[in-house]
Amino acid sequence: MSTIAVDLHITDAEWEVMRVVWANTQVTSKEVISTLEGKMDWKQATTKTLLGRLVEKGALNTEQEGRKYIYSANIEEKEAVRSFSNDIFDRICRKNVGNVIESIIKDHTLSFDDIQRLEEILEMKKAFAVEEVDCQCAEGQCDCHLHHHGE
Amino acid sequence: MSTIAVDLHITDAEWEVMRVVWANTQVTSKEVISTLEGKMDWKQATTKTLLGRLVEKGALNTEQEGRKYIYSANIEEKEAVRSFSNDIFDRICRKNVGNVIESIIKDHTLSFDDIQRLEEILEMKKAFAVEEVDCQCAEGQCDCHLHHHGE
DNA sequence: AAATAGAGTTTACATTAGTAAACGATTATT
DNA sequence: AATAATCGTTTACTAATGTAAACTCTATTT
């Protein structure tokens, strides 16, 4: 199963480039450059550097097309987003995952479809829900260890 | 309302320190050092540097207690988590927020209470749900612009 | 064929982050 | 009082990031 470079770290600047590639499937550096020129106010050289670094770290593939390259993503956006979003959960106590999701939901606009879909997922999650999520934090990094229930 | 330094960037290493402070409300550097010693395998100096940087960037308060300092958080964990988690959503198309939440839910263990609470939130969200979330992406960074509905 | 433009590669340079030793001022020990 | 242990501050040094100029081919235009 492709876990190809899921753990590679894509920086903010690089992510801008990745988005262009993901949105277009196949792109030339020229296209990436012009797409980002407006938004990022970068010089061409900056985009070139980023493309180079992304190829280097395996996030992008290149295919020689005549004298130039055609860039394509080597990792799926979904996977990259997932890996990135999991970083949050490494920063908090497992017990708070629910609260964070709650706060995320509150902070964003959702469509009726989104809501329905999420409701379905939650329904399914019930089959695997636990009475209490257990804290995986190191001692001293969260206070779960303090309040043992029914004590 | 306190938006005190909500946008300050707390790095991974610094976050480890923040967690200790958040979990203990009031701590001395010594406590932070010993708490992190095991988990992080840092030298004392490393923790000291981090404490210093956090004070410097306003994430921590210090209170002189005799000759030493008592550190306390100047930003709430909830706010910090929130600000950090919003970074994900700046990397994706608004239309995909629902999918990302979906994937987060799938990836984590939730308690029955969490699920119920989330269901309630979703129920409430229905009042503000939209038919279709609109894409805020820059042209060329997502393909929403391509498939206009009913066209 | 010579000159020019375009594409990728190298080099560059400042800032942030990770990690830590050295230093200076105090306080606690002997 | 002299010495050792502390605690915070300064300094240090490497790697990662952001940003970009310079350079080298190669292809296109004149």
Side-chain angles (χ1 to χ4, degrees), chain B residues 18 21-22 25-27 58-61 71-77:
Chain B
M18 289 304 293
V21 183
W22 280 320
T25 319
Q26 304 263 99
V27 274
L60 292 180
N61 287 313
Y71 296 89
S72 59
N74 192 38
I75 52 174
E76 285 180 58
E77 175 169 20

Side-chain angles (χ1 to χ4, degrees), chain A residues 5-137:
Chain A
V6 160
D7 49 328
L8 53 70
H9 186 60
I10 296 175
T11 71
D12 287 332
E14 287 166 356
W15 195 276
E16 295 291 339
V17 173
M18 288 305 292
R19 290 188 72 179
V20 179
V21 182
W22 280 321
N24 298 278
T25 319
Q26 303 261 102
V27 274
T28 59
S29 65
K30 190 201 200 97
E31 296 174 277
V32 179
I33 289 171
S34 67
T35 299
L36 292 175
E37 228 154 36
K39 183 182 185 190
M40 294 289 107
D41 144 66
W42 283 341
K43 298 293 158 53
Q44 302 195 164
T46 302
T47 303
K48 285 183 186 179
T49 300
L50 265 6
L51 279 168
R53 288 184 186 166
L54 286 165
V55 168
E56 187 177 55
K57 63 172 68 169
L60 292 181
N61 288 313
T62 53
E63 195 185 321
Q64 194 102 30
E65 166 77 48
R67 65 248 131 228
K68 53 192 71 166
Y69 287 156
I70 300 294
Y71 296 89
S72 57
N74 192 38
I75 53 175
E76 286 180 57
E77 176 170 20
K78 197 180 175 67
E79 270 316 300
V81 170
R82 180 185 179 153
S83 140
F84 186 75
S85 72
N86 278 330
D87 290 352
I88 305 175
F89 301 98
D90 289 336
R91 289 190 171 206
I92 62 168
C93 173
R94 295 290 166 195
K95 282 190 193 306
N96 285 319
V97 170
N99 297 88
V100 173
I101 295 175
E102 178 185 330
S103 133
I104 290 173
I105 292 177
K106 283 180 175 163
D107 282 354
H108 297 273
T109 301
L110 295 176
S111 70
F112 290 109
D113 282 356
D114 285 329
I115 294 181
Q116 198 194 329
R117 197 154 26 83
L118 291 177
E119 282 178 336
E120 281 162 18
I121 308 284
L122 286 176
E123 197 55 41
M124 298 197 300
K125 278 298 254 189
K126 286 182 181 166
F128 306 92
V130 298
E131 208 51 64
E132 186 180 349
V133 177
D134 51 89
C135 162
Q136 315 254 263
C137 306

Side-chain angles (χ1 to χ4, degrees), chain B residues 26 61-66 68-72:
Chain B
Q26 304 263 99
N61 287 313
T62 52
E63 193 186 322
Q64 193 105 26
E65 166 78 47
K68 54 193 70 164
Y69 286 157
I70 300 293
Y71 296 89
S72 59

Side-chain angles (χ1 to χ4, degrees), chain B residues 39-59:
Chain B
K39 184 183 185 192
M40 294 289 106
D41 148 64
W42 284 341
K43 297 295 159 51
Q44 302 194 166
T46 302
T47 303
K48 287 182 185 178
T49 300
L50 265 6
L51 279 168
R53 289 186 185 165
L54 286 166
V55 169
E56 187 178 58
K57 63 172 69 168

Side-chain angles (χ1 to χ4, degrees), chain B residues 106-129:
Chain B
K106 283 180 175 162
D107 281 353
H108 296 275
T109 301
L110 294 176
S111 70
F112 290 107
D113 282 356
D114 284 330
I115 294 181
Q116 199 195 327
R117 197 156 24 86
L118 291 176
E119 282 179 334
E120 282 162 18
I121 308 286
L122 286 176
E123 197 56 42
M124 297 197 302
K125 279 298 251 186
K126 286 181 182 167
F128 306 91

